[in-house]
Amino acid sequence: MSRPLHRGVSASRISGSSDDLLDSQVKDKTEKEELDRNHSSLRFPFWLPFTDNSPSKYAATDNGFASDPFAVGPPRSRHRLTMLLLKSSLVMIVILAVTGSFWWSLSISTSSRGYIFHSYRRLQEHLVSDLWDIGELSLGASKMKELEFCPEELENYIPCFNDSEDLDSGFSDGNEDDQVCRPGSRQSCLVLPPLNYKIPLRWPTGRDIIWVANVKITGQEVFSSGSLTKRMMMLEEEQISFRSASLVFDGVEDYSHQIAEMIGLRNESNFIQAGVSRTLDIGCGYGSFGAHLFSEEILTMCIASYESSGSQVQLTLERGLPAMIGSFSSKQLPYPSLSFVLLHCARCGIDWDKKDGIFLIEVDRVLKPGGYFVWTSPLTNGHSSLRDKEKQKRWNFVRDFAESLCWELMSQQDETVVWKKTSKKSCYNSRKPGSGPSICSKGQYLESPYYRPLQNCIGGMHSHRWVPIEERATWPSRSNLNPTELALYGLHSEELNEDTANYKMTINNYWSLLSPLIFSDHPKRPGDEDPSPPNNMLRNVLDVNARYGGLNAALLEAGKSVWVMNVVPTTGPNYLPLILDRGYFGVLHDWCEAFPTYPRTYDMVHVEGLLSLESSQRWRCSMLHILTEIDLLLRPEGWIIIHDTAPFIESPRSLTRQLKWEARVIEIESNSNERLLICQKPFFKRQAS
């Protein structure tokens, strides 16, 4: 809690007037005598009961002034005696305090111990808050002032990506797309939107039309060749349109229909019945494949490498579709093994035959047993490959390597190939010796790697989550895992049901607070006479400490038109496999590092318990560091909801001024020790130069 800084009264004082008079009267004295008299002017606010050895207690001195009744002996002995008295007083105070505390403790009955413990915990929490405030105050006024705005060249700045130091030194093994966080790579300023930035259109209109000024892209990039979905856009005056009625979009529909038939389905509307409800689109273009699948209630996560201009990830997020920066170059993806039912790559730019097939091994790791890998590339076209021996050689390598991974080649049409991963572990043991990558040992296998180097062994075989997709419930019933599945994570149905029920109530409270009325002098919730915020008020939501994915479940059940990026901090319990098995999207992340996305991509950021969690880790990075990163990810006029115990609400509240956020603390009636901090990021417009 913020308190004004008061200066206390010192335990000793210097008699300044006495010194001035002495200086005027005794100019002929030596410096030693002056020093003695200055020592004799030290006063204490209590009486010291010891014998004075001077001839007369108040006798006049040589200079005509009365002697100091508190001056005892020579300066050195007086100094020692002073220190001895201070130490003795301190010891007495400690003894009295301990004795009083002992007798007070004996007088407390057993029935009140729980209350004392609760009060002690609250006292600890208040102490944490007070110490934080003291730390902030100790930084000085220069540190507490509002953060300045970043220069214009940083309006699309992403910390830790495309590091200039790395670009100058060069890369090896194609790892130029990796995230590299160096000291000083983060800017301590607030990133402004581009000059003509506009608030994105609400869903579903915003899926098909975006403002061209909101993203960094040139007209040449719009019309340049590339993936099929990259070409499904039209550049108008201020907008980029993804026309659902265009002939090109009809191509996406035909393409999706073709994939469904190759899998063995009647059409794409049967994807969910086959267990395909969440897909990973590698190098997604601008998200048109995922946008089409959304109409079939299939959610698609786009991953693509960092691009300084014409970014696939930035445009996909601007459309309100899931996306994040991700690369196969040298590190494993931040997803658990056995997470996705379908991986899609349509001219995604990855050379699957390179590095001895290690990229295909990573695909196998994240695919669920019985899952599908769809690859569209000119390399797979049999007619053209026959005329090009090099292409034929590369295609043969990919086909043979996929077979060694126990993938079944289901169908090949034109440039598209569909493989199905085996559901039987016995397949790996039936392979010819040395015919493919080995099985990862238990020491090599890691359920949820965090940007670990790519492994050249087959992972997931030791996981308790090895369950064929045919044996799993389909969406949306799969979001409610059965007791057997929950037991794999050490949870009971009651825990998940309680978490879901709490978030159902929480969502209603959140939604009623998302109004500028909350920042007025007399805030009120919308009543019967006030219209509730529309269900499509938000689209892209980031939950920075998702736990079981309860916020995601409650938002969908409430009919809100959102998708949620569920983030599991690397410093807390890892429930990311549970979140993905429920059919939601999620990723591991260290909040002391930059999140792998572009600025201004989320409408709301939910921060529940993260500050308490980071405090338990002794603040590996500052609270301002974390909140500045959240500000970078948030769109103008976006919302931040911080839910934590009271001490961890007061501290960020004091930082909202530096971040220029509107903020209001809300008490929670059901829990007197918890608070909500509702914040909104203002829309600051860059001035034309």
Side-chain angles (χ1 to χ4, degrees):
M1 65 190 72
S2 301
R3 295 195 179 97
L5 185 63
H6 296 286
R7 298 190 179 276
V9 179
S10 175
S12 62
R13 64 183 179 87
I14 304 296
S15 178
S17 60
S18 175
D19 289 341
D20 294 340
L21 191 56
L22 286 171
D23 290 340
S24 63
Q25 294 289 331
V26 292
K27 293 181 179 179
D28 57 335
K29 295 295 182 179
T30 64
E31 292 182 359
K32 179 178 179 180
E33 290 172 337
E34 290 180 2
L35 181 61
D36 289 346
R37 279 192 297 275
N38 285 334
H39 274 293
S40 70
S41 65
L42 189 64
R43 310 279 182 163
F44 291 91
F46 47 85
W47 181 264
L48 305 181
F50 49 80
T51 306
D52 188 350
N53 294 326
S54 59
S56 174
K57 185 174 268 191
Y58 298 99
T61 60
D62 294 339
N63 59 12
F65 287 91
S67 64
D68 191 339
F70 296 103
V72 183
R76 186 178 298 274
S77 63
R78 287 198 300 272
H79 178 70
R80 289 178 178 176
L81 189 56
T82 299
M83 295 303 297
L84 177 63
L85 286 170
L86 288 174
K87 292 179 181 179
S88 301
S89 302
L90 182 60
V91 170
M92 288 296 296
I93 291 172
V94 172
I95 293 174
L96 290 173
V98 171
T99 305
S101 176
F102 173 74
W103 287 108
W104 176 78
S105 299
L106 291 179
S107 66
I108 301 298
S109 64
T110 305
S111 61
S112 62
R113 288 177 184 173
Y115 173 78
I116 294 170
F117 178 75
H118 177 71
S119 299
Y120 175 68
R121 289 289 301 274
R122 294 194 66 180
L123 182 62
Q124 280 186 317
E125 292 170 346
H126 281 291
L127 178 60
V128 170
S129 177
D130 291 343
L131 290 175
W132 178 266
D133 291 339
I134 292 172
E136 290 294 327
L137 290 171
S138 67
L139 294 176
S142 61
K143 297 291 185 180
M144 292 295 291
K145 67 180 182 180
E146 291 185 352
L147 295 178
E148 296 181 353
F149 293 118
C150 299
E152 184 177 355
E153 58 267 21
L154 296 179
E155 63 187 22
N156 288 292
Y157 167 73
I158 306 178
C160 307
F161 282 95
N162 203 17
D163 188 271
S164 58
E165 187 174 333
D166 284 328
L167 291 176
D168 294 338
S169 60
F171 293 87
S172 61
D173 299 327
N175 56 357
E176 62 272 8
D177 297 323
D178 288 346
Q179 179 175 350
V180 180
C181 290
R182 298 183 182 277
S185 62
R186 179 183 298 272
Q187 301 292 323
S188 57
C189 56
L190 302 179
V191 176
L192 279 174
L195 179 61
N196 296 315
Y197 182 90
K198 296 182 180 180
I199 301 298
L201 300 172
R202 286 184 175 174
W203 182 269
T205 305
R207 176 187 59 191
D208 301 323
I209 301 175
I210 65 173
W211 302 110
V212 68
N214 290 12
V215 295
K216 188 176 182 181
I217 189 170
T218 64
Q220 182 180 0
E221 288 169 331
V222 172
F223 299 110
S224 64
S225 61
S227 70
L228 177 67
T229 53
K230 267 191 177 183
R231 298 196 298 268
M232 298 179 182
M233 49 198 294
M234 297 175 61
L235 180 61
E236 299 177 357
E237 290 185 2
E238 295 184 338
Q239 300 173 342
I240 298 176
S241 299
F242 304 84
R243 300 293 188 183
S244 59
S246 67
L247 295 175
V248 184
F249 189 86
D250 290 339
V252 173
E253 186 174 355
D254 292 340
Y255 176 67
S256 303
H257 188 84
Q258 177 190 5
I259 292 174
E261 288 183 335
M262 295 173 71
I263 289 176
L265 306 175
R266 184 175 180 180
N267 52 48
E268 61 267 37
S269 62
N270 299 118
F271 271 137
I272 289 184
Q273 296 177 13
V276 180
S277 60
R278 299 294 181 266
T279 67
L280 185 65
D281 195 1
I282 306 166
C284 60
Y286 298 138
S288 293
F289 180 67
H292 173 67
L293 291 181
F294 184 84
S295 63
E296 304 295 340
E297 298 185 6
I298 300 170
L299 207 56
T300 302
M301 172 63 70
C302 161
I303 61 168
S305 300
Y306 168 81
E307 297 166 290
S308 60
S309 180
S311 166
Q312 304 169 68
V313 171
Q314 188 180 38
L315 267 79
T316 301
L317 283 164
E318 192 68 20
R319 299 181 65 184
L321 299 168
M324 63 174 285
I325 299 173
S327 171
F328 275 85
S329 58
S330 62
K331 302 291 180 60
Q332 290 182 318
L333 298 173
Y335 306 121
S337 301
L338 317 177
S339 294
F340 296 96
V341 178
L342 188 146
L343 264 72
H344 174 253
C345 164
R347 299 189 179 187
C348 60
I350 296 178
D351 296 325
W352 298 106
D353 59 310
K354 301 299 183 183
K355 295 190 177 182
D356 299 323
I358 199 169
F359 301 142
L360 291 170
I361 296 176
E362 177 65 3
V363 170
D364 181 85
R365 183 186 71 83
V366 298
L367 267 181
K368 290 181 179 293
Y372 305 96
F373 177 53
V374 180
W375 181 31
T376 297
S377 168
L379 197 65
T380 65
N381 190 317
H383 297 293
S384 62
S385 296
L386 290 175
R387 296 189 298 267
D388 190 325
K389 292 184 178 180
E390 180 62 26
K391 283 186 177 181
Q392 182 67 32
K393 180 180 177 181
R394 295 178 62 190
W395 161 242
N396 289 340
F397 176 87
V398 174
R399 182 191 59 197
D400 295 342
F401 196 86
E403 184 179 354
S404 72
L405 292 171
C406 286
W407 291 3
E408 176 191 355
L409 180 58
M410 297 192 69
S411 181
Q412 181 177 2
Q413 295 182 16
D414 301 325
E415 294 185 349
T416 302
V417 182
V418 175
W419 283 279
K420 181 180 176 66
K421 178 179 176 176
T422 184
S423 300
K424 300 177 181 179
K425 293 183 179 180
S426 59
C427 175
Y428 299 102
N429 297 325
S430 64
R431 296 178 301 168
K432 295 179 181 180
S435 63
S438 61
I439 305 298
C440 293
S441 65
K442 289 186 177 180
Q444 292 174 301
Y445 175 68
L446 192 62
E447 180 86 31
S448 299
Y450 184 66
Y451 297 110
R452 192 173 66 154
L454 289 168
Q455 304 292 300
N456 59 0
C457 57
I458 298 175
M461 292 289 292
H462 301 291
S463 174
H464 56 264
R465 296 170 52 243
W466 181 283
V467 180
I469 61 173
E470 296 84 3
E471 299 178 14
R472 289 184 178 272
T474 58
W475 179 263
S477 59
R478 66 179 291 187
S479 63
N480 299 314
L481 300 181
N482 60 50
T484 303
E485 292 173 314
L486 287 175
L488 299 176
Y489 308 100
L491 297 175
H492 300 285
S493 299
E494 295 77 12
E495 295 176 85
L496 193 63
N497 293 338
E498 181 182 358
D499 183 71
T500 301
N502 288 339
Y503 271 107
K504 285 181 181 179
M505 181 176 61
T506 298
I507 287 302
N508 292 331
N509 290 331
Y510 284 174
W511 218 256
S512 66
L513 294 171
L514 299 182
S515 167
L517 288 173
I518 199 65
F519 304 120
S520 63
D521 292 335
H522 303 285
K524 73 181 187 71
R525 297 170 183 261
D528 295 335
E529 72 283 2
D530 299 315
S532 299
N535 287 342
N536 66 345
M537 177 182 177
L538 307 173
R539 177 58 186 169
N540 300 354
V541 175
L542 179 69
D543 192 358
V544 304
N545 185 23
R547 292 198 69 208
Y548 311 142
L551 179 75
N552 196 154
L555 284 168
L556 293 180
E557 188 167 336
K560 310 304 181 185
S561 300
V562 304
W563 73 271
V564 181
M565 175 64 86
N566 297 282
V567 181
V568 175
T570 56
T571 52
N574 182 14
Y575 289 109
L576 183 58
L578 168 67
I579 290 172
L580 289 164
D581 283 350
R582 295 185 71 182
Y584 308 138
F585 285 137
V587 66
L588 280 175
H589 184 62
D590 181 351
W591 281 110
C592 287
E593 298 178 357
F595 193 73
T597 192
Y598 288 80
R600 304 173 300 278
T601 52
Y602 287 97
D603 301 302
M604 188 183 86
V605 179
H606 181 241
V607 187
E608 180 174 0
L610 177 68
L611 303 182
S612 299
L613 178 63
E614 288 297 330
S615 173
S616 68
Q617 302 296 322
R618 299 185 179 181
W619 291 108
R620 299 170 304 116
C621 55
S622 70
M623 187 182 295
L624 182 60
H625 176 107
I626 296 174
L627 296 182
T628 304
E629 174 67 14
I630 290 174
D631 181 87
L632 179 68
L633 307 179
L634 200 64
R635 287 172 170 168
E637 298 186 3
W639 295 88
I640 311 99
I641 299 179
I642 302 178
H643 184 175
D644 220 310
T645 54
F648 295 105
I649 290 297
E650 293 298 331
S651 299
R653 181 172 68 105
S654 65
L655 297 176
T656 58
R657 296 179 182 177
Q658 290 183 263
L659 297 164
K660 309 179 193 295
W661 293 351
E662 299 282 352
R664 173 76 70 173
V665 175
I666 306 294
E667 294 187 0
I668 300 177
E669 297 177 359
S670 60
N671 193 328
S672 60
N673 193 39
E674 293 185 0
R675 302 285 189 276
L676 289 178
L677 180 61
I678 309 294
C679 308
Q680 188 176 31
K681 177 180 177 178
F683 186 179
F684 293 106
K685 295 186 177 182
R686 184 179 298 280
Q687 300 299 320
S689 55

